[in-house]
Amino acid sequence: SSELKQIRFGLKIGENDLNIKLRKVKEFLEEGDRVRLTLVLRGREMAHQDLGIEFIQKVAASLADVAVQDGPVQKAGRNMSINVRRKNA
């Protein structure tokens, strides 16, 4: 039985913080869970949604060795999300 876990990012996240969150995503995937990667835009970042889409696709691409993307980027208000699942599951 797999759960849907969620990891939230900000657009201005530091490199080390991003690496820690990606490591946690990989742990969830190894356990067989699906993961929703959510990018939260704040304030003026809403004017640059193209940067948000680029960022979330870059994050999904960095997980390409262990994960497969389930569908396109979804937008809901200030949030953009993408679901990933383990590659061989």
Side-chain angles (χ1 to χ4, degrees), residues 9-11 18 22 37-39 41 49-65 67-75 80-84:
F9 300 96
L11 195 55
L18 179 62
L22 290 177
L37 306 173
T38 303
L39 175 68
L41 299 174
Q49 292 188 9
D50 53 334
L51 294 176
I53 292 172
E54 274 181 39
F55 175 80
I56 204 161
Q57 288 176 339
K58 183 185 85 169
V59 170
S62 68
L63 294 168
D65 56 335
V68 175
Q69 181 176 332
D70 282 345
V73 176
Q74 300 169 340
K75 296 180 195 175
M80 292 183 188
S81 63
I82 197 167
N83 293 338
V84 294

